[in-house]
Amino acid sequence: MLFEVWAPNAGNVELRLDGRTRPMEPDPAGSGWWRLTAAATAGARYGFALDDGPVLPDPRSRRQPDGPEGPSAVVDHTAHRWHHPWPGRDLTGAVLYELHVGTFTEEGTFAAAAGRLGHLADLGVSHVQLMPVCPFPGTHGWGYDGVAPWAVHEPYGGPDGLKEFVDAAHGHGLGVVLDVVHNHLGPSGNRLPEFGPYFTDRYHTPWGSAVNLDGPGSDEVRDYFVGSALAFLRDYRLDGLRLDAVHALADSRAEHFLFQLSSAVAELSAELGRPLFLIAESDRNDPLTCTPRELNGLGLDAQWNDDFHHALHVALTGESHGYYADFARAPLATLARTLTDGFFHAGTYSAFRGRRHGRPLDRPATPAGRLLGYAQTHDQVGNRATGDRLTPALDLGLAACAAALVLCGPFTPMLFMGEEWGATTPWQYFTDHPDPELAEAVRVGRRREFAAHGWSADAVPDPQDPATRARSVLDWSEATRAPHAELLDWYRTLLAVRRTHLAPGLPLAATRVDHDEEARTLTVRHGVLAVSVNLGERIASPAVPPGALPLAASAGAEAMTLPPRSAAVFLLPPDEARKHGS
């Protein structure tokens, strides 16, 4: 097989394969590339030594069986036997379910997670969105400090485990999306700088050195991350990728990295004959992120909409600290604006940022489904001091209201694992760094961060304590007990209503909202559906036209009466539905 590595500054490169050392030759066709053909079978251990230095893992390693800093292992992707033919499942009409492999089950493996896929199919979601699975130090962690972007975390099950999980998901009719990190690598085990200019000190990120996307050598760096993305989509039969924090991708080149990536994914989709898509996490509120490339956009298919989350969270909880302050002046009006306009900050002043932020979306031209709507995510739960979830802080009625707005609203819905039954287990920040100095730095940094917001050090969980991860594991027995089982039935009902009645692809302009700030009621109409919620303390009547047909109502709600903290979903009469684009 062909072994090759990019090491533009090296004077000599050697391949160490199963204990034998072989000199590599410069590739005359590729500047800075070294290559050698040698016999090797799947599982063979290897690495590269630069200028007689230590043996390093392959930057494009497909497997790290002994962890990020151990030798790489050969993987034969063609040897895997797939059991379920898969035509693909695109993002149109999708419902995503965000899942962390390490805490979805006590075992924390792909195999154990696959055993729960029947629950997700029965729930009615369309895609599982896996949090990052690239290798990181230790056994347990969130995955955003991975250091081998082409490989799969061995404690989860490695490459074969991921393939078996994806195959099982496809057998249940579920697509699979993978969260990938291109804006930084983790602080421990990152050997890429020893090979070439993968990083730059001209920019900085909150998580470490910035990836070199626009300086000397950046052609190869960009190809490295694009190649990693394409390899996961192709070799693991994934349906899409979620791109972490794309606002942290510093790139001054005329063709932005995301444009290059979306173009390459479109080409791969055509080659494979199945749909592929990209979802961005972006803090910029920039319409160009999801504008098609032919209209001079970056060409991504969707993006997370934190503005909707923040508006919904404030309306439900009354919290107003930090970035929630911008959404707290008139919570129902703010929520209404995010439902109709997508972005709340669309060139308007943000007190939290101390400046104007964002640009408006083109409501007639922008499909509402290009925005993901959610009440909880790993970020919005795990980045709280104690990892407390939203639902345990609400009564069942308000939780039902949140679910109705997310699942039958205009945006592509996304759930965070366990949300569907109102899981009471927290989801806390946990790490497993073997380096004691790094472990202590993470521990101290986490406590210092929240001390600035009034938290005592003892109240902030120790990320390195195994009990922190253990507390974050889902308790599946909750789903069968009251009141969790009742909430789970509500989620199933809402997803069935959405699947049956809501046509995908409608623009933002097809959404209308009526709200009453004082009474704390809101009705959103999109397509043929109207969702009415009463977040207040008085009985209310839903703002729906005569002839609207009730399809679902939370406990205590009736056809045309909404008790305090209740929700109902209606099918609009045909003449009314036509006003909303159906």
Side-chain angles (χ1 to χ4, degrees):
M1 66 174 290
L2 176 64
F3 292 87
E4 55 185 351
V5 65
W6 184 59
N9 300 324
N12 66 80
V13 179
E14 295 176 327
L15 169 69
R16 176 71 60 84
L17 175 63
D18 279 343
R20 295 181 59 191
T21 300
R22 298 174 173 87
M24 302 182 73
E25 296 294 329
D27 183 354
S31 176
W33 281 87
W34 300 75
R35 60 189 300 169
L36 176 68
T37 299
T41 58
R45 307 296 180 90
Y46 74 99
F48 301 111
L50 313 181
D51 295 328
D52 303 318
V55 178
L56 304 175
D58 183 359
R60 285 173 169 75
S61 170
R62 269 61 166 188
R63 186 180 174 204
Q64 290 296 120
D66 301 316
E69 295 199 71
S72 301
V74 172
V75 173
D76 180 6
H77 284 298
T78 65
H80 185 80
R81 181 183 175 190
W82 296 89
H83 296 89
H84 301 287
W86 185 245
R89 190 164 186 177
D90 68 16
L91 193 59
T92 304
V95 177
L96 279 68
Y97 186 97
E98 189 182 28
L99 181 161
H100 177 262
V101 174
T103 50
F104 192 56
T105 66
E106 180 61 42
E107 298 88 343
T109 63
F110 292 123
R116 295 289 185 177
L117 289 172
H119 165 83
L120 302 185
D122 180 64
L123 177 62
V125 302
S126 64
H127 293 76
V128 179
Q129 180 174 295
L130 297 176
M131 289 176 60
V133 301
C134 292
F136 54 85
T139 300
H140 297 297
W142 279 21
Y144 293 94
D145 52 359
V147 294
W150 291 62
V152 180
H153 194 49
E154 201 70 18
Y156 287 169
D160 285 341
L162 177 56
K163 290 174 186 173
E164 289 163 4
F165 176 87
V166 173
D167 201 16
H170 290 168
H172 285 281
L174 299 168
V176 182
V177 182
L178 178 63
D179 194 340
V180 296
V181 184
H182 294 155
N183 55 72
H184 74 287
L185 267 68
S188 177
N190 177 15
R191 310 305 293 267
L192 288 185
E194 297 175 60
F195 284 91
Y198 282 91
F199 298 91
T200 176
D201 59 6
R202 293 180 297 111
Y203 308 108
H204 300 280
T205 79
W207 312 284
S209 300
V211 174
N212 173 27
L213 297 176
D214 59 3
S218 60
D219 286 351
E220 295 291 353
V221 176
R222 291 160 72 106
D223 287 347
Y224 173 83
F225 286 102
V226 170
S228 167
L230 298 182
F232 271 106
L233 291 168
R234 179 183 58 248
D235 298 335
Y236 295 92
R237 295 194 178 183
L238 298 175
D239 297 273
L241 301 174
R242 182 261 190 186
L243 310 177
D244 181 62
V246 300
H247 50 269
L249 296 170
D251 183 5
S252 64
R253 291 172 60 161
E255 180 179 277
H256 194 277
F257 170 76
L258 293 177
F259 186 101
Q260 179 182 345
L261 176 60
S262 68
S263 300
V265 169
E267 291 175 4
L268 180 62
S269 175
E271 175 190 330
L272 297 177
R274 59 182 174 89
L276 301 171
F277 57 83
L278 297 172
I279 301 171
E281 180 203 13
S282 176
D283 186 44
R284 297 184 62 194
N285 284 19
D286 183 357
L288 291 180
T289 302
C290 292
T291 298
R293 290 183 302 280
E294 58 268 25
L295 298 178
N296 295 318
L298 296 178
L300 306 188
D301 299 278
Q303 62 182 302
W304 283 26
N305 186 5
D306 273 354
D307 280 11
F308 170 71
H309 167 272
H310 298 345
L312 179 60
H313 187 93
V314 170
L316 293 168
T317 68
E319 288 189 31
S320 59
H321 60 275
Y323 47 67
Y324 290 132
D326 283 343
F327 300 82
R329 296 183 184 90
L332 272 294
T334 300
L335 180 57
R337 180 171 173 180
T338 63
L339 285 163
T340 57
D341 295 4
F343 296 152
F344 175 69
H345 290 304
T348 52
Y349 183 79
S350 164
F352 174 71
R353 295 175 176 84
R355 58 171 175 80
R356 293 190 302 276
H357 184 64
R359 290 198 301 125
L361 292 157
D362 184 339
R363 295 184 68 243
T366 303
R370 284 188 187 163
L371 300 177
L372 267 61
Y374 38 83
Q376 302 181 62
T377 71
H378 79 272
D379 268 333
Q380 301 302 336
V381 175
N383 284 326
R384 296 170 70 85
T386 59
D388 49 311
R389 293 171 176 264
L390 172 65
T391 312
L394 308 175
D395 62 27
L396 193 62
L398 286 178
C401 293
L405 289 170
V406 169
L407 298 182
C408 290
F411 307 132
T412 294
M414 185 179 72
L415 310 179
F416 180 56
M417 61 178 196
E419 172 188 340
E420 68 272 23
W421 71 74
T424 61
T425 48
W427 202 74
Q428 299 176 336
Y429 181 68
F430 52 90
T431 56
D432 191 20
H433 292 299
D435 181 345
E437 291 187 7
L438 178 58
E440 182 63 16
V442 169
R443 182 183 295 115
V444 171
R446 184 77 174 175
R447 289 175 171 171
R448 182 183 298 123
E449 174 187 355
F450 287 102
H453 299 286
W455 290 85
S456 69
D458 292 339
V460 180
D462 178 0
Q464 286 285 124
D465 186 347
T468 304
R469 179 263 172 182
R471 283 189 296 270
S472 302
V473 174
L474 285 177
D475 177 3
W476 282 88
S477 70
E478 286 187 323
T480 62
R481 304 196 304 263
H484 304 284
E486 181 180 349
L487 186 61
L488 178 57
D489 284 343
W490 177 240
Y491 271 75
R492 289 183 179 132
T493 297
L494 293 172
L495 284 169
V497 167
R498 182 183 186 91
R499 185 168 58 251
T500 303
H501 296 287
L502 193 57
L506 295 175
L508 281 170
T511 303
R512 299 288 186 274
V513 176
D514 297 301
H515 73 280
D516 185 322
E517 196 75 49
E518 182 179 356
R520 289 179 48 77
T521 60
L522 180 146
T523 297
V524 54
R525 308 178 194 184
H526 184 74
V528 299
L529 294 184
V531 181
S532 287
V533 298
N534 178 5
L535 309 182
E537 301 298 326
R538 300 195 302 267
I539 295 174
S541 297
V544 296
L549 176 65
L551 296 175
S554 64
E558 298 179 5
M560 288 298 166
T561 302
L562 291 179
R565 300 178 299 284
S566 67
V569 182
F570 300 85
L571 183 67
L572 294 170
D575 59 336
E576 184 68 22
R578 281 192 289 271
K579 298 178 183 177
H580 302 285
S582 282

